[in-house]
Amino acid sequence: MTFIESTLSAVVSKLGISSAEEPPYYHPLDPLTASEIARSVDAIRHTANGARLWFKSIQLVEPPKAILVPWLDEYAAGEAVSRLDRTAEILVGRRHSKGADWLVYQISLPETGSSQIISAEPVPAGQHVPPDMGEMMAAEEALLNNPTFKAAIAKLDLPSNAKVVADGWIYGADTLDATPRSIPFMVYLSFSDNPDTCHYAAPLPIVPVISADTFELQRLDYCPIYGKGDKTLLDLDGRFPWEAYVPNEYDQNIRATAGLSSREDIKPYRVLQPEGASFTLEGRVIRWQKWAFHIGFNYREGIVLSDIRYDGRSTFYRLSVSDMTVPYGDPRAPFHRKQAFDLGDIGAGLTANELALGCDCLGEIAYLNFDHFSQDGSPTLQRGVVCIHEQDDGIGWKHTNFRTNRPSVTRSRILIIQTIITVANYEYIFAWRFDQAAGISLEVRATGILSTVAILPGETSPHGNVVSPGVLATNHQHLFSVRIDPAIDGHNNTVVQEDSVAMPFDKANPPSDNKWGVGYTVEQKAITKSGWADAAPEKNRVFKITNPNKVNPVSGKNVAYKLVPAPSQLMLAHPESIAYARAEFGEHHIYVTSYKDRELYAGGLYTNQSNGDANGLRSWVARDDNVDNADLVVWHTFGLTHNPRVEDFPVMPCEIHMIHLKPNDFFTASPAIDVPASTQAFNQSQLHNPGQHLQGDNDIEEKAKANGLNKQGCCA
């Protein structure tokens, strides 16, 4: 048995295999079932001819829009629908002594009978397929057993109880030349037998690079260890001062063992829904508070929401987090290549957490699972990768008539569709939020552990912050690209940029239409050709996605949803750098392109070690297509620039960012006006101290009775 074969066997054992039941409902956008995955794998195995196959990813090929839209309309109208053809797309490698050949298969999935290979295309030359968990584990095992690496570690004169931990970390590129597919590793020390100890508090200044195809050591990159300059471990006068490291633990059990107790003054907070949740699920179609939509999931994007309708009216065809990049700001080698594309480089679905009841979501929770496969094609089941629940979001709307002192008040209830991914050290929480006022928001939370590197004690650096003795956390950015495929009362839409601007005013000679200098107007500019725009908070800039063929009978304006963009800082890398070229969505906040089937990933199909030729969003914008009264796609880039704080370590508190899609002249009145009043009889709140009466409590009670109110001022 070869090293690759023995490692593959171990990987499958570690990952575990399982299967899921067939869903009770059919929908053409449902993720592939365990049965469909098995049939697809069998079709490829029959053509293997003895080749060592490495199965990397599989997902549904969504039906063409021209075919799917009529089906969705019939389904929404409650009409009988026929089964659409299902197709799987699989990325598979044929490994050999010199590496691997990678092919993309498309497999037909008839309702009955065997699956057939439709096509098998090689991955384009110069493009690198993403790694996967099996490759990461195999590469880590190969590294830790490599004699050259072990010799380099021995020279550090580490204590006998120190263990080396290696995290695979997908670097970028610094050349336009072809490079071998590789897996760099961030290397750390652990002084504990507990696998949950925080090894990120003890980084080693070496980045070994392993071939992703042969698992051989390609090279050892030595890292700068001073705050400034390029001097590495090899330039150090004396041995590496590992004694500077101190434990910096987050695990509650480890902290308790060390005498670091948790807070004891927090009392239970329980979300109880005695009558159950207000949503219903039919397979993966959810219905809640006039909303209806399909919840998909795939290995790359994670959650995909489709056919989103409010009270029967179409709003959006498809919503997803398309891509993201995390460029680091230390210009010294090898850190200058440090730029991850977490979705394209490995996948939101493959890194999704199995969410736990009472931990990641509160209340009455529904969970969705995800079927995939391991590297030998065996089925895997990730349980609970999506959690669905309701949440109280404070006051929805309120008005008190000052003459009668009678309030009208509602609570805002929101529906949350959430997934959490762990990409080595970092976590991202993606939560789609639907409200009763027909609004949709995407909340992104960044948490987890900072990516750390070694720095000599007493040194500081302009490229980051020392967060623990000998530990430098590098400055970096997180940029997300959200793909918004609108269907605002139909699929022919126009994006209109809208600014609020002050009217001209000359105090000495005031214009007749702004005599007092208080006027402002709203300026609109339609985006008619594929292109880009930027947020401008000083102009209150929003982007209205309008239907130019539908007019609101009240306002006389076109029905629309408006995107309230997040005016984040964009790519800080120089426009002529390869890092900048790789981030095809990092130049502007807003892009508008014409719709094309399968143009889903803003960074391009293959982001791993890409160098700016991934054929992504930049090339789609350059087509100069018509996007006026057309089937179009809006892409929004937002994120955060993260200059680490000491308070971000060992695990950073969540950084929260949101974008919003709100109806704008889509309705003839507030869609939330029919939400029931908030009452004590419904909510059953309790006084903090029942024995303590409010001042004038009797007067309040009598007034409440006279006005039909309870003592809290809510409608009785």
Side-chain angles (χ1 to χ4, degrees):
M1 180 179 288
T2 67
F3 171 78
I4 292 177
E5 290 170 328
S6 63
T7 302
L8 173 58
S9 176
V11 165
V12 172
S13 176
K14 289 179 182 178
L15 291 177
I17 59 175
S18 184
S19 61
E21 298 179 355
E22 295 290 334
Y25 297 90
Y26 164 76
H27 194 286
L29 293 177
D30 284 347
L32 296 175
T33 65
S35 173
E36 290 174 323
I37 292 171
R39 290 161 57 196
S40 301
V41 168
D42 286 344
I44 294 174
R45 282 176 173 159
H46 288 155
T47 67
N49 296 322
R52 297 199 305 270
L53 300 179
W54 189 283
F55 291 86
K56 187 168 285 289
S57 63
I58 183 170
Q59 68 176 359
L60 174 76
V61 178
E62 296 178 8
K65 199 173 195 178
I67 294 174
L68 184 57
V69 166
W71 190 99
L72 295 174
D73 288 341
E74 292 172 3
Y75 178 83
E79 300 175 10
V81 290
S82 59
R83 179 185 173 88
L84 299 182
D85 292 338
R86 302 262 288 175
T87 302
E89 185 171 85
I90 310 183
L91 179 57
V92 181
R94 293 171 174 255
R95 291 195 179 273
H96 46 76
S97 59
K98 295 182 180 180
D101 299 321
W102 297 96
L103 296 168
V104 178
Y105 290 85
Q106 288 206 350
I107 311 291
S108 66
L109 295 168
E111 186 173 8
T112 58
S114 60
S115 299
Q116 301 293 326
I117 295 176
I118 301 172
S119 62
E121 299 292 335
V123 171
Q127 305 290 332
H128 289 310
V129 300
D132 55 66
M133 193 58 65
E135 281 184 341
M136 292 287 209
M137 294 167 65
E140 180 182 351
E141 182 176 344
L143 172 66
L144 296 179
N145 288 290
N146 182 272
T148 301
F149 176 69
K150 292 169 72 173
I153 294 297
K155 292 179 181 179
L156 299 179
D157 193 23
L158 301 175
S160 58
N161 68 327
K163 301 177 181 63
V164 175
V165 180
D167 282 4
W169 213 106
I170 308 306
Y171 270 38
D174 60 3
T175 177
L176 296 176
D177 298 332
T179 57
R181 194 169 71 94
S182 60
I183 302 176
F185 281 85
M186 305 292 288
V187 183
Y188 306 90
L189 287 180
S190 171
F191 300 100
S192 170
D193 291 329
N194 192 321
D196 288 318
T197 190
C198 183
H199 54 266
Y200 301 100
L204 291 177
I206 304 175
V207 173
V209 181
I210 295 286
S211 166
D213 289 325
T214 65
F215 304 122
E216 297 173 348
L217 180 66
Q218 293 178 338
R219 66 180 186 274
L220 294 176
D221 290 337
Y222 287 88
C223 309
I225 55 174
Y226 291 86
K228 298 179 181 179
D230 298 323
K231 289 186 177 181
T232 71
L233 185 68
L234 302 178
D235 303 304
L236 187 63
D237 185 14
R239 66 183 183 82
F240 180 68
W242 55 264
E243 298 93 339
Y245 294 136
V246 299
N248 211 325
E249 303 290 357
Y250 62 89
D251 182 84
Q252 297 291 308
N253 293 329
I254 297 176
R255 288 176 58 82
T257 302
L260 302 171
S261 60
S262 299
R263 303 180 190 190
E264 298 180 353
D265 60 346
I266 187 167
K267 297 181 180 181
Y269 179 89
R270 294 171 181 154
V271 179
L272 304 177
Q273 296 180 269
E275 297 181 17
S278 301
F279 60 82
T280 59
L281 275 169
E282 299 173 2
R284 287 178 174 260
V285 174
I286 191 165
R287 304 182 192 279
W288 176 85
Q289 294 292 290
K290 302 186 181 181
W291 286 107
F293 53 92
H294 180 271
I295 306 171
F297 198 88
N298 63 54
Y299 86 92
R300 179 158 176 167
E301 297 164 288
I303 292 174
V304 176
L305 305 179
S306 302
D307 192 26
I308 302 164
R309 300 173 188 251
Y310 187 91
D311 205 13
R313 294 173 65 185
S314 66
T315 60
F316 296 92
Y317 178 73
R318 192 181 191 274
L319 297 174
S320 70
V321 180
S322 166
D323 230 322
M324 61 176 291
T325 186
V326 187
Y328 279 71
D330 193 333
R332 302 172 296 173
F335 304 139
H336 69 291
R337 290 192 297 273
K338 198 172 178 184
Q339 181 186 16
F341 286 75
D342 293 338
L343 274 60
D345 285 353
I346 190 161
L350 297 183
T351 57
N353 292 190
E354 293 188 326
L355 305 178
L357 196 66
C359 299
D360 303 294
C361 308
L362 299 181
E364 181 162 317
I365 314 299
Y367 292 99
L368 298 178
N369 300 333
F370 175 50
D371 285 296
H372 203 252
F373 54 27
S374 62
Q375 283 65 50
D376 70 346
S378 301
T380 62
L381 175 63
Q382 293 170 244
R383 298 185 182 276
V385 294
V386 176
C387 70
I388 305 168
H389 64 109
E390 295 176 288
Q391 184 171 301
D392 180 271
D393 199 40
I395 298 294
W397 59 262
K398 179 173 183 175
H399 175 67
T400 299
N401 186 325
F402 72 88
R403 291 181 174 84
T404 63
N405 202 32
R406 182 180 179 86
S408 294
V409 58
T410 66
R411 301 291 299 180
S412 174
R413 185 83 61 90
I414 59 174
L415 178 71
I416 296 179
I417 316 295
Q418 177 176 286
T419 191
I420 304 174
I421 70 173
T422 297
V423 188
N425 52 295
Y426 251 111
E427 267 80 12
Y428 299 97
I429 303 165
F430 298 105
W432 290 96
R433 300 157 55 100
F434 291 77
D435 64 41
Q436 295 164 304
I440 305 171
S441 300
L442 171 64
E443 177 187 89
V444 177
R445 297 182 178 222
T447 181
I449 301 179
L450 297 164
S451 181
T452 59
V453 299
I455 187 171
L456 291 180
E459 289 281 313
T460 61
S461 175
H463 310 304
N465 196 29
V466 176
V467 295
S468 191
V471 180
L472 178 68
T474 311
N475 300 334
H476 58 282
Q477 296 181 280
H478 305 257
L479 295 179
F480 307 92
S481 175
V482 178
R483 185 180 183 275
I484 302 167
D485 188 343
I488 310 301
D489 261 350
H491 295 272
N492 282 5
N493 298 149
T494 300
V495 176
V496 177
Q497 175 184 300
E498 184 176 281
D499 296 345
S500 299
V501 297
M503 295 174 64
F505 179 67
D506 183 349
K507 190 173 183 180
N509 185 24
S512 59
D513 58 351
N514 191 24
K515 181 178 180 180
W516 306 107
V518 298
Y520 75 87
T521 59
V522 176
E523 294 182 350
Q524 294 186 328
K525 182 178 74 173
I527 299 175
T528 60
K529 295 289 186 179
S530 56
W532 53 265
D534 285 313
E538 75 282 3
K539 296 181 179 180
N540 192 48
R541 180 170 292 171
V542 297
F543 296 88
K544 291 184 177 178
I545 308 172
T546 71
N547 185 328
N549 310 297
K550 299 287 182 70
V551 175
N552 184 294
V554 176
S555 68
K557 298 178 181 179
N558 295 130
V559 298
Y561 261 70
K562 70 176 180 181
L563 167 62
V564 182
S568 311
Q569 189 171 32
L570 296 168
M571 281 287 291
L572 284 169
H574 192 276
E576 296 180 8
S577 68
I578 291 178
Y580 191 93
R582 299 183 72 215
E584 298 207 17
F585 51 89
E587 300 172 60
H588 302 286
H589 294 108
I590 301 293
Y591 301 86
V592 183
T593 63
S594 59
Y595 174 86
K596 305 289 184 185
D597 286 331
R598 309 215 64 197
E599 287 186 350
L600 300 175
Y601 314 128
L605 188 56
Y606 299 104
T607 60
N608 184 24
Q609 294 173 240
S610 62
N611 54 20
D613 61 350
N615 190 30
L617 185 53
R618 195 177 287 124
S619 62
W620 305 335
V621 168
R623 291 193 300 244
D624 198 33
D625 289 342
N626 173 63
V627 291
D628 184 19
N629 197 11
D631 194 359
L632 57 85
V633 179
V634 179
W635 313 74
H636 178 28
T637 299
F638 71 100
L640 66 144
T641 297
H642 188 187
N643 302 325
R645 311 169 296 159
V646 174
E647 293 85 354
D648 289 331
F649 200 70
V651 178
M652 62 178 278
C654 283
E655 288 276 350
I656 305 173
H657 295 261
M658 293 182 68
I659 64 170
H660 306 278
L661 293 162
K662 299 181 179 182
N664 199 121
D665 295 344
F666 192 76
F667 300 98
T668 56
S670 166
I673 201 66
D674 60 352
V675 174
S678 179
T679 68
Q680 171 63 359
F682 187 83
N683 297 321
Q684 299 188 16
S685 298
Q686 297 180 354
L687 285 172
H688 171 61
N689 187 346
Q692 179 181 0
H693 292 284
L694 297 172
Q695 184 178 3
D697 189 61
N698 292 332
D699 292 339
I700 293 175
E701 186 171 0
E702 291 302 318
K703 185 180 290 187
K705 289 180 179 178
N707 289 288
L709 310 176
N710 63 22
K711 286 195 290 186
Q712 282 70 42
C714 301
C715 297

